[in-house]
Amino acid sequence: MGDVQQWYDSVPVITRHYLTGCVVLTIAGNVGMISPMQLILTMAGLYRFEVWRLLTCFMFMGKLGFPFLLNMIYFYRQSSTLESQTFERRTSDYLFMILFGALLLLPIGLYFQFYLLGQGIMLMVTYYWSRMNPNVMISFFGIPFKGRYLPWVLVALNFLMGGMPIVQLCGIFVGHIYFFFVDVLPETQGVRYVRTPWFLFRLFPPELNSNSPDFANARAVYPGNQNARYRDLGPGRRF
């Protein structure tokens, strides 16, 4: 039991909390602890001010089974790698990436009546991982290929298993939008239109964001007390 707890504590914070939410809500919805109809995204539910659906539709993954297990395994691998390497000491930036994807997927889901959007977030993360690690060799059921192809392999597998990977494709599309605004435009045009909001930096200790350029810029604008607690903005403008 101690080894399990040690492994769980070693998972990066955003990945850990999101995976926990997915596992807990999916199991609860399948064993009857919570009605799945209370977890899915519906306009009628939002009209009744059931705002929790805006969150639970990204965590309830539908039926338990092999596809659910596969989603959890690959999201754990790619998300942990992104958060601990590409987003090392940039925890708020990684949280913002997830929120960015969620905010774009929600109107798509409402318009096209996609009730569950978790696979969209997972494919967004997988797509961004593939752009950051295009030449990393990975193995899928013993078949080796480069990381750049992983999102499309997962889409194809979903289709072969009888699913309609439309939400996954939407996740790839959203992931490319994030990649374009955060990586392509700054490199090619020298401009950044997408930045992590300052209030997200208040959620975590400074050491978890010390590599974030947005955190450094925010500290310059709102310097505060360097020795104060991370949620204390110090004197000046407050949010």
Side-chain angles (χ1 to χ4, degrees):
M1 192 65 181
D3 292 339
V4 174
Q5 184 65 48
Q6 186 177 7
W7 166 81
Y8 182 77
D9 292 339
S10 70
V11 178
V13 60
I14 304 300
T15 302
R16 181 171 70 243
H17 282 82
Y18 184 70
L19 279 177
T20 300
C22 290
V23 171
V24 169
L25 283 182
T26 302
I27 292 177
N30 277 268
V31 302
M33 295 177 61
I34 305 174
S35 170
M37 296 304 295
Q38 294 295 316
L39 303 174
I40 63 176
L41 181 67
T42 65
M43 188 65 76
L46 296 179
Y47 283 148
R48 295 193 296 269
F49 299 101
E50 296 171 354
V51 294
W52 63 82
R53 295 176 184 270
L54 298 174
L55 178 64
T56 57
C57 69
F58 291 104
M59 294 184 175
F60 178 63
M61 303 300 294
K63 292 182 179 180
L64 290 173
F66 180 70
F68 168 73
L69 180 62
L70 195 66
N71 284 329
M72 294 299 99
I73 291 174
Y74 273 90
F75 179 79
Y76 163 71
R77 289 179 178 176
Q78 271 59 64
S79 182
S80 295
T81 302
L82 268 184
E83 191 174 352
S84 62
Q85 297 180 12
T86 305
F87 289 87
E88 182 183 9
R89 296 186 181 181
R90 295 174 53 202
T91 300
S92 293
D93 290 344
Y94 190 64
L95 175 59
F96 176 66
M97 187 187 81
I98 301 293
L99 295 176
F100 181 91
L103 289 174
L104 290 184
L105 285 169
L106 280 171
I108 295 175
L110 289 170
Y111 183 80
F112 291 103
Q113 297 184 344
F114 298 147
Y115 302 126
L116 300 175
L117 299 175
Q119 288 194 17
I121 285 291
M122 293 185 176
L123 261 293
M124 175 201 179
V125 170
T126 302
Y127 176 81
Y128 192 73
W129 176 90
S130 73
R131 298 308 299 249
M132 297 296 101
N133 302 274
N135 296 315
V136 171
M137 295 301 298
I138 58 177
S139 177
F140 191 82
F141 294 106
I143 303 174
F145 56 88
K146 292 185 177 181
R148 69 183 66 184
Y149 302 116
L150 179 59
W152 310 107
V153 169
L154 295 178
V155 167
L157 181 65
N158 189 343
F159 182 77
L160 291 174
M161 295 176 65
M164 289 298 293
I166 300 177
V167 175
Q168 290 182 313
L169 292 173
C170 290
I172 291 175
F173 172 69
V174 168
H176 186 72
I177 291 176
Y178 180 83
F179 171 72
F180 178 76
F181 278 103
V182 173
D183 293 278
V184 177
L185 274 184
E187 183 175 344
T188 59
Q189 304 296 326
V191 294
R192 289 189 63 199
Y193 296 112
V194 176
R195 295 181 182 273
T196 302
W198 168 246
F199 66 86
L200 292 180
F201 293 117
R202 300 181 66 186
L203 301 177
F204 306 100
E207 57 267 22
L208 291 183
N209 288 304
S210 58
N211 288 344
S212 171
D214 291 332
F215 180 64
N217 293 335
R219 300 275 299 202
V221 176
Y222 309 108
N225 184 351
Q226 299 296 321
N227 297 319
R229 292 183 62 208
Y230 58 91
R231 286 198 173 99
D232 183 7
L233 286 178
R237 181 178 175 184
R238 301 186 69 85
F239 290 80

